[in-house]
Each structure stands twice: as structure tokens, then as C-alpha cells.
Amino acid sequence: MSPSIKSTVDITQSDFQQITQVIEYYFNGLYNGDTQLLDNIFQNESWLITPCGRRNKKQWLKDVANRASPKELQQDYLFSILAIDIISDQAMVKVYCPIFEFKYIDFLGLIKSDNQWQIVSKMYTDVAVQSS
């Protein structure tokens, strides 16, 4: 499925490529349980928020490190980008992340700082629960 892409100002192809690369790193980090890769793409002040709670980056990376990865569990790699909205030096990316028994939709907020795109926030929910 091709993602929908919106931009209210001119963006460069390089910005789009950098954002999609960060998201691919995100998918690979989640799938492989690669906390170093995830650490590199999230700003230190990042928060991960669900309707039931919130974690800072440090706690989330610790949780990722202490669980079996989807790759170790031989789960299919079915991540996908659903939408990208870019405005100047900010972006919001909607992604589908089916891992473990969950079917997450994540909204990832990105900021371009020092000519580099990084994730500054993650909001996510399990859509499988909502459709039950």
C-alpha cells in the first residue's frame, strides 16, 4: 500500500527520503529488538503515549531490551507507512505496526534539527482491541 503524502509547503526529496529512512530504521529496530538503532532515531526527550499510560524513551528502550523480538519469535515483518504529513521542519507519520498479538497504529512526530530528522513523540493504540 502506498502512503498518502501531504505537504503544505515545498519540501525537498531529500527530506522525504530522510523521513522514510528514519521510519524504516524504526521498523527494523522494533522487529529486531535493536535498542541502539531505536535510541539513535528518537530524541532523548521523547515520550511514548497510549490511552492507558506514558513512558519516556529510557524506560521504553529498557522494555524493548527485556523482551523477545518479533524476529526471535519468527513473526512476519508486516510494518507499513500509512501516511506522511510534512510541514517545513516538522512531520507526522502514521504507521501500521503489527507485533506480538497487537495491531498497533502509531503516530510518530518528527522534527528536523541540525539538518537531521528524529522522532520526538510516539502515540499508539492497538486497533485489534477496538475492532473486537
Side-chain angles (χ1 to χ4, degrees), residues 70 75-80 96-104:
Q75 294 185 333
D76 292 332
Y77 187 105
L78 299 172
F79 301 94
S80 62
Y96 177 62
C97 296
I99 59 173
F100 311 117
E101 68 275 13
F102 307 106
K103 293 183 177 7
Y104 289 119

Side-chain angles (χ1 to χ4, degrees), residues 9 29 38 41 48-49 52 54 73 85-86 91 94 103-104:
V9 295
L38 293 169
I41 60 170
L48 296 88
I49 303 169
C52 300
R54 58 182 59 217
L73 298 173
D85 193 359
I86 306 168
K94 180 181 178 183
K103 293 183 177 7
Y104 289 119

